[in-house]
Amino acid sequence: MAWTATITAPAGNSPLRRSLTRFYNNRAAIAGLVILAPILITVLTYHLWWPYGPNSIDLRAMNSGPSGRHWFGTDGVGRDTLARLMQGGRVSLMVATVSVVISSVIGFMLGAFAVFGGRFADGVIMRFVDLCMTLPPVILLLVLASIAGTGIVPTIFVISLLSWPVLARMIRARLLELRERDFVVAARGMGAGFWHLLCRHALPNSIDILVVYATLQIANAILLEAGLSFLGLGIAPPEASWGNMLNAARSTVVLEQHPSQWMFAGGALVLTVLAINFVGDGLRDAFDPRSDLN
């Protein structure tokens, strides 16, 4: 009897509980959370405890190194590096999060329309997705950025239009299998409309894909924003972002004589992206139903 109870107990747990257990047992994912949580708290609350603003100028401390007054030093015009680092993190995370939300909505809706909109809608939407996926992403990114211009809103617009086709394909694949389930066939036979199918069946059964996609894509969006800002096509000064902080410190003099102006921004970018990737990998493994077979 004890052996039987040991085997059947896990089956009684809900799928969400089993997924959370797998996530908590993933050391890399927990390490990512431990790294990510202080970064998020710091960049969201720095204005409450740090006396300097990101654009406050101290003419007496231009190009100074780390000190008791300016913990991470200052840049070439006397702005506090730590304040700009935390404001840059806030801007980068905001741009990444909003762009991922927009791309997730676009990808999910197009994938759902392709499945529940009929054969003609499926053909048109998926051919459009194929066309978007054939375009070189780097060239498309630069073209869109040059058209949209610089700033927070144009950068969000550019990044959100770049990554949704992959999600649309994943959602379509999941919903094609879901469409043949008995409860969906019965709902459609009883006259359920598109929005009912979308909210009651498609969204709950696709939430694992959306969560994993959004987590991993946020890290990619942070890198895209940093790359655009480094090239002068993303967040424009004086607004701070990790990308334009690296761009401002790319001269040989700054690289050699004032490493604090680029070292902390580069380190924050690497740590944040790694932490988000660790969490995303943990979520992907946690929501993988094949993990129950291991």
Side-chain angles (χ1 to χ4, degrees):
M1 296 296 295
W3 178 82
T4 304
T6 303
I7 296 299
T8 57
N13 294 333
S14 66
L16 178 60
R17 190 169 184 176
R18 292 198 300 269
S19 297
L20 291 176
T21 300
R22 288 194 294 267
F23 181 80
Y24 291 144
N25 291 332
N26 190 317
R27 295 182 179 179
I30 298 302
L33 281 179
V34 170
I35 296 172
L36 187 61
I39 294 175
L40 290 176
I41 294 173
T42 300
V43 302
L44 293 176
T45 64
Y46 83 91
H47 63 282
L48 300 176
W49 51 270
W50 189 242
Y52 301 104
N55 293 318
S56 301
I57 296 176
D58 185 356
L59 297 177
R60 297 171 298 176
M62 293 188 298
N63 283 325
S64 66
S67 63
R69 186 174 183 179
H70 298 284
W71 293 357
F72 287 2
T74 60
D75 62 7
V77 295
R79 295 175 298 190
D80 185 77
T81 300
L82 179 56
R84 292 188 63 77
L85 180 70
M86 293 183 290
Q87 177 65 20
R90 181 182 294 184
V91 170
S92 297
L93 290 170
M94 182 193 68
V95 169
T97 303
V98 175
S99 63
V100 168
V101 170
I102 295 174
S103 65
S104 298
V105 172
I106 295 174
F108 176 76
M109 293 301 297
L110 288 180
F113 271 116
V115 173
F116 296 117
R119 183 173 299 179
F120 177 77
D122 185 26
V124 172
I125 292 173
M126 296 317 297
R127 298 297 76 75
F128 177 65
V129 171
D130 292 340
L131 175 63
C132 293
M133 294 184 70
T134 59
L135 299 175
V138 176
I139 297 177
L140 178 62
L141 181 68
L142 295 177
V143 170
L144 289 175
S146 62
I147 294 174
T150 59
I152 294 178
V153 174
T155 303
I156 291 174
F157 171 77
V158 169
I159 296 176
S160 62
L161 290 183
L162 192 65
S163 54
W164 61 265
V166 176
L167 178 63
R169 278 197 166 277
M170 292 191 296
I171 293 296
R172 177 179 178 270
R174 170 65 62 85
L175 297 186
L176 281 176
E177 186 270 337
L178 181 71
R179 187 177 62 181
E180 306 303 322
R181 297 283 185 91
D182 292 340
F183 59 90
V184 177
V185 173
R188 299 182 73 181
M190 295 173 63
F194 171 79
W195 292 107
H196 177 87
L197 296 173
L198 186 74
C199 298
R200 294 295 300 273
H201 301 297
L203 183 58
N205 286 279
S206 304
I207 196 67
D208 55 337
I209 294 178
L210 292 172
V211 169
V212 174
Y213 166 83
T215 306
L216 294 174
Q217 190 58 34
I218 284 176
N220 187 42
I222 291 175
L223 291 176
L224 288 175
E225 182 276 322
L228 287 175
S229 298
F230 182 80
L231 295 173
L233 298 173
I235 308 301
E239 184 64 74
S241 80
W242 290 338
N244 64 30
M245 288 181 69
L246 294 173
N247 179 46
R250 64 180 179 176
S251 68
T252 305
V253 175
V254 173
L255 289 174
E256 294 180 352
Q257 300 180 13
H258 309 289
S260 62
Q261 295 184 23
W262 58 266
M263 181 175 60
F264 294 114
L269 182 63
V270 171
L271 276 179
T272 303
V273 171
L274 281 177
I276 294 175
N277 278 329
F278 286 157
V279 174
D281 288 339
L283 289 173
R284 181 179 57 194
D285 294 340
F287 282 111
D288 188 356
R290 293 172 297 181
S291 300
D292 289 330
L293 303 177
N294 296 335

